[in-house]
Amino acid sequence: VYKRQVYDHRRREYFQLKTRKVALCTGPDFKDDLGPGKIPAEMSELTLIRGMNVIFPALFRSNASFAAKMRKGKESRFLFVVPWKNFSIGGTHWQECENQMPTWSEKKLVKDSFRKLMQLAMPGRESFPEILSEHVGFVPGKRRNASDQNAAGQILAHFRLIDREETKRGDVLQVVGVKFTTAFDVVLKSLRKLFPGVGIHDVLQFSTLPCGSPPDDPEQLIVNYISRYQKILNEQLVRQLFSLTGSDLPKIVEEYLRPHIQSSQPLTEAEMYVGLTSFCVREEMTVHLDDLIFRRLFPDCPELPPREILEPLAGCMARLLMWTAEQKNLELERIGTLRGLAK
């Protein structure tokens, strides 16, 4: 039985935990000495990968995204810039590190490196905006070997379950990684690892899957959604919504579509897209109409949607973002110049 004294910062008091099995879901501090003994060899092969994003005034007038990969000898660096409101967010390369707190000189080195990357990516540009702030993040990854060309390739592709005691039936399990499919997925696999002799099965059905869960059978999941939401959306609209949102569909239907039902009739296509627009603005920070149309709702459509759909979407964004009539017209004009309006 493991005993640990834990401090509750909200209640400002200590209490004791007793357990026979422990699953540790950790962030960057995945190598802390937690009592089971030495760190397993599998964990000693891992290290921290540190990255930095920088924020600066908008780089492009068109609110466009930008990405480039520059090579110098055998080394390659990837640079991306995405727009958000009146700013641009730039992503720099990842670096292997041991210390979580970068020094001032390291931060300056990364910022200088970012400026050089920008100059390489856009050689015709004479000046670049001043960096307003930088944000450091850490993820666990593999140590670099001779075949690796950059740290981005070292980041763990998925979470890893590591036995801290290095025994076949260890009682202390550590979950290390950055891509947790869902909390349920992590818990289920951890339980199976901690209790190998117990038949632990997935008891969830398609009707109760957590949002974001990867379906084993997408078509069966769609059929379930068609049946469940037949009073809200017809089959064609369910399939359209699923192609855009996957298994996040229940959350969007319940929170953004069902409240708009005014009669016994299902929602029209325009009404569905208005609800989806509200979701994109409130939860995905979409602030421009071209971002909504070209990247989120109609990414594969060769032309803009018809005006009977486009106008309600622009009106929805205008209400949520408190645009003036002039701002709304500018947003419509901008996408009209980027792609011919459908008649």
Side-chain angles (χ1 to χ4, degrees), residues 8-124:
D8 188 334
H9 288 273
R10 297 172 66 183
R11 296 183 179 181
R12 297 183 180 180
E13 61 183 22
Y14 288 92
F15 62 95
Q16 193 175 67
L17 288 177
K18 296 181 181 180
T19 182
R20 293 188 60 186
K21 303 279 186 177
V22 179
L24 304 164
C25 296
T26 54
D29 301 310
F30 63 92
K31 289 189 178 181
D32 283 353
D33 182 8
L34 299 168
K38 65 182 181 68
I39 293 176
E42 186 179 2
M43 189 173 290
S44 65
E45 296 173 357
L46 302 179
T47 186
L48 284 179
I49 307 293
R50 183 174 64 212
M52 182 183 292
N53 289 344
V54 295
I55 298 176
F56 45 89
L59 189 63
F60 307 109
R61 290 183 180 179
S62 63
N63 294 292
S65 299
F66 174 85
K69 186 176 184 180
M70 284 70 67
R71 286 189 175 274
K72 188 176 182 181
K74 294 184 178 180
E75 295 289 328
S76 64
R77 296 288 175 85
F78 186 78
L79 168 74
F80 70 86
V81 177
V82 295
W84 187 69
K85 294 189 176 181
N86 296 323
F87 304 95
S88 288
I89 302 175
T92 65
H93 55 281
W94 294 88
Q95 295 177 315
E96 185 177 322
C97 70
E98 293 294 339
N99 179 19
Q100 288 192 41
M101 296 303 294
T103 63
W104 177 86
S105 59
E106 287 177 310
K107 285 188 176 182
K108 184 177 185 300
L109 183 64
V110 172
K111 290 165 71 173
D112 290 343
S113 173
F114 180 76
R115 292 191 182 93
K116 291 177 182 178
L117 285 174
M118 294 287 286
Q119 291 169 355
L120 286 172
M122 292 177 283

Side-chain angles (χ1 to χ4, degrees), residues 271-282:
E271 290 170 331
M272 181 194 75
Y273 279 118
V274 168
L276 194 50
T277 297
S278 181
F279 167 78
C280 291
V281 172
R282 294 182 184 278

Side-chain angles (χ1 to χ4, degrees), residues 27 41 53 128-129 146 163 190 194 244 249 251 282 287 292 298:
N53 289 344
F128 296 94
D163 183 354
S190 298
L194 288 169
L244 293 171
L249 184 147
K251 170 185 172 66
R282 294 182 184 278
V287 294
L292 178 79
F298 305 95

Side-chain angles (χ1 to χ4, degrees), residues 160-193:
R160 184 178 298 179
L161 303 177
I162 300 175
D163 183 354
R164 285 297 296 262
E165 298 170 305
E166 294 188 289
T167 61
K168 291 183 178 180
R169 298 192 64 174
D171 294 329
V172 181
L173 185 70
Q174 189 138 10
V175 184
V176 179
V178 291
K179 294 183 179 177
F180 287 10
T181 308
T182 62
F184 174 82
D185 190 30
V186 176
V187 170
L188 180 64
K189 291 178 179 176
S190 298
L191 287 173
R192 286 174 175 170
K193 184 90 171 179

